[in-house]
Amino acid sequence: MRESWPIFGVDLHLEIDPALGRQRGLEQALRAAIRSRRLVSGTRLPATRRLAADLGLSRGTVRGAYDQLVAEGYLTADQGSGTAVAQLPHLSADVPGEPSAPAPEVPWHDLRPGRPDASAFPVTAWLRSARRALTAAPADAYAYGDPRGQFELRTAVAAYLGRTRGVLAHPDRIVITNGYVQALALLTRVLAENGPATVAMEDPGAAFHREVVRRAGATVAPLPVDDRGARTDLLATFPSVDAVEVTPAHQYPTGHTLHPARRRELVAWARSTSGLVIENDYDGEFRYDRHPVGAIQGTAAEHVAYVGTVSKTLGPALRLGWVVCPRRLLTPLVEAKQYDDHHTEVPGQLTLADFIDSHAYDRHIRTSRLRYQRRRDQLLARLRALPGPPARRPAVHGIAAGLHVLLSLPDQGPTEEDVLSAAAARALRLGRLNGRWHASGDHPQGVIIGYGTPSEHAYPAALDALTDALDCVYGAA
Ligand SMILES: Cc1ncc(COP(=O)(O)O)c(C=O)c1O
């Protein structure tokens, strides 16, 4: 017998085994719900009269089941407040197949890459935009929306990208997505629609994105990276590639900027083969020492799908990004988006549109840029002060932009594992270069330091832990 009944407005699904009889069946169903934590400690159960009526049982049967579970310690009965689920912290260990309750979190220092300082999210300004945008929104903003995204946001993004990144963007060419990852998946799916597709991706690069491309139906080809960024000079030797995905502003994870000659080669490849460049403008907003490099899309709009995201500027939790798309891909991309999830959620889009139009986005990025630049300078000062002769110290790459640097470790050691274990011993998380290569093998050693991740007040202690870990491995080397 499957039954659901509302407990103070909350539905609970119960599986009552008729073979056990009424009372024992109800006891067993309640016990299972409590042990699996579907009924959590403190939940008040319905009065016996109401539950009996809902389940078609006698009141005595329900009272009997409650009494039994009170006797077993699953429930508490109180004259004033009725029957409730008891505090049972010990239960998780003896529920088959259930992970035990997580141990209390040790406060780790977090210098992993790929994350902005979540504590710096501009809550007040965001709320102001949300209030303005949702107050002005017509009722149909809460109905199904446009698969391309809200016109307000596409217009705001087009103006912003033209102004700040040199992107040739028209609102009609923009598709709003749930961040970069969805844009990459949809573009790949479009490429793979008419037969086998291959996407060349930077090596090293983001392993997660390689998997996204594979799952969307394409083959991944490794495109090596050196200190001029992706080796676009090699593309002519690749047998058949439909698209090349690059992080030209600040290569992930080496931090190099794509050299102008390589940018030209990439565009020439796209023009001569009708291939697609997927430009991941990762970290494009955070450039510290020189004027930002404009987007490649600005030089070849019909050959480049330009993709941006607010994951680094505001926060990945928002799941908001955009593709500026060549004309030939627009219809299939919009269809792919529509069949994936109709469209990105509308209230967040309208809020972001207001946030951009009111220049709160520019202000937030400017403030963040200054903060991250200061953090980067503090990090570099610490790295310069490491012990040992310069030739034995790690070289630092990718300092000009973004929220991370790469420390490449000299061949004679210490190794990546040495540094990561010294860090772990100090409750410090860093990024490893190891998992970012396409194939396992004998690769250069390095660790990635994301200086965007901690909150302002946590950053100095994270730097202390890093310095201590590096002092230890380099002092010992
Ligand atoms: C290389 C790179 N690009 C883009 C992103 C942002 O992805 P999304 O917009 O899906 O959060 C990340 C996130 O860590 C990343 O590592």
Side-chain angles (χ1 to χ4, degrees):
M1 172 166 65
R2 285 158 187 266
E3 295 285 354
S4 294
W5 85 88
I7 298 177
F8 298 99
V10 179
D11 278 346
L12 174 72
H13 172 81
L14 278 186
E15 298 263 352
I16 299 178
D17 182 353
L20 293 175
R22 289 165 182 233
Q23 181 173 324
R24 285 198 50 225
L26 176 59
E27 283 167 19
Q28 186 51 35
L30 283 169
R31 221 180 267 117
I34 295 169
R35 289 170 71 95
S36 65
R37 291 214 178 81
R38 287 192 297 126
L39 270 179
V40 297
S41 299
T43 306
R44 286 171 64 198
L45 297 189
T48 50
R49 185 197 307 274
R50 228 188 71 211
L51 184 56
D54 282 347
L55 293 179
L57 300 172
S58 76
R59 221 176 140 192
T61 302
V62 176
R63 189 179 303 119
Y66 278 11
D67 287 349
Q68 178 62 29
L69 293 180
V70 169
E72 290 176 16
Y74 284 95
L75 299 179
T76 57
D78 190 297
Q79 200 74 52
S81 55
T83 308
V85 178
Q87 300 290 334
L88 294 165
H90 60 281
L91 271 183
S92 65
D94 55 351
V95 178
E98 273 232 336
S100 30
E105 270 283 297
V106 186
W108 282 74
H109 306 291
D110 197 348
L111 292 178
R112 285 175 296 172
R115 296 158 168 78
D117 175 355
S119 73
F121 184 80
V123 177
T124 310
W126 186 258
L127 282 174
R128 219 177 286 129
S129 286
R131 172 177 287 276
R132 257 193 317 256
L134 300 188
T135 306
D140 70 4
Y142 301 96
Y144 282 112
D146 186 330
R148 292 174 297 176
Q150 290 301 112
F151 179 71
E152 293 88 336
L153 181 56
R154 289 185 286 118
T155 309
V157 165
Y160 174 78
L161 293 178
R163 172 163 61 80
T164 63
R165 306 291 302 124
V167 173
L168 300 172
H170 186 279
D172 290 348
R173 289 284 193 94
I174 293 180
V175 180
I176 303 297
T177 62
N178 302 339
Y180 182 73
V181 72
Q182 189 188 38
L184 182 62
L186 297 181
L187 286 165
T188 307
R189 217 179 291 163
V190 166
L191 292 169
E193 246 163 29
N194 301 318
T198 300
V199 180
M201 300 180 78
E202 295 167 334
D203 186 13
F208 184 76
H209 291 162
R210 292 199 288 276
E211 191 54 23
V212 167
V213 167
R214 286 191 199 102
R215 285 172 187 242
T219 302
V220 171
L223 180 62
V225 170
D226 65 13
D227 58 5
R228 291 179 155 204
R231 293 281 312 270
T232 53
D233 53 315
L234 298 178
L235 284 173
T237 67
F238 282 41
S240 110
V241 166
D242 302 277
V244 178
E245 192 239 14
V246 281
T247 47
H250 191 232
Q251 202 274 332
Y252 187 81
T254 64
H256 300 302
T257 302
L258 192 63
H259 190 274
R262 296 267 171 90
R263 289 163 64 104
R264 286 194 296 274
E265 273 160 4
L266 184 58
V267 170
W269 167 85
R271 286 190 206 282
S272 65
T273 62
S274 300
L276 177 71
V277 175
I278 300 175
E279 179 171 19
N280 176 358
D281 198 18
Y282 172 76
D283 286 347
E285 293 86 354
F286 295 121
R287 179 131 208 124
Y288 306 121
D289 302 322
R290 280 187 279 140
H291 196 63
V293 190
I296 298 174
Q297 192 270 3
T299 64
E302 292 307 331
H303 300 278
V304 178
Y306 171 95
V307 190
T309 171
V310 301
S311 288
K312 298 294 179 297
T313 51
L314 285 168
L318 269 60
R319 308 314 304 139
L320 282 167
W322 42 79
V323 185
V324 186
C325 179
R327 189 189 309 275
R328 69 188 156 104
L329 288 184
L330 189 61
T331 304
L333 183 65
V334 173
E335 281 179 14
K337 171 71 181 163
Q338 187 165 23
Y339 283 103
D340 205 45
D341 62 359
H342 283 303
H343 56 79
T344 291
E345 65 98 12
V346 173
Q349 290 188 56
L350 294 177
T351 303
L352 181 60
D354 182 277
F355 200 75
I356 295 173
D357 285 340
S358 64
H359 299 306
Y361 193 54
D362 288 71
R363 281 193 293 278
H364 177 68
I365 289 176
R366 256 202 313 277
T367 315
S368 307
R369 196 183 291 131
L370 287 173
R371 187 173 55 248
Y372 292 136
Q373 178 167 12
R374 201 169 51 238
R375 289 188 187 191
R376 181 207 61 167
D377 293 344
Q378 290 164 353
L379 170 64
L380 295 181
R382 299 286 188 111
L383 294 174
R384 272 196 294 272
L386 283 179
R392 301 206 54 173
R393 285 190 223 142
V396 191
H397 306 275
I399 63 173
L403 306 184
H404 73 269
V405 296
L406 171 69
L407 287 195
S408 62
L409 307 176
D411 289 344
Q412 66 270 32
T415 64
E416 206 164 309
E417 275 321 308
D418 294 334
V419 175
L420 291 170
S421 13
R426 287 154 184 83
L428 168 65
R429 290 195 175 106
L430 301 171
R432 52 176 71 237
L433 182 55
N434 198 337
R436 267 92 181 172
W437 302 97
H438 284 232
S440 50
D442 200 11
H443 294 296
Q445 300 276 297
V447 291
I448 309 164
I449 303 175
Y451 49 87
T453 315
S455 63
E456 275 296 88
H457 78 270
Y459 188 58
L463 274 188
D464 289 345
L466 175 71
T467 312
D468 198 32
L470 293 174
D471 276 349
C472 167
V473 282
Y474 281 94

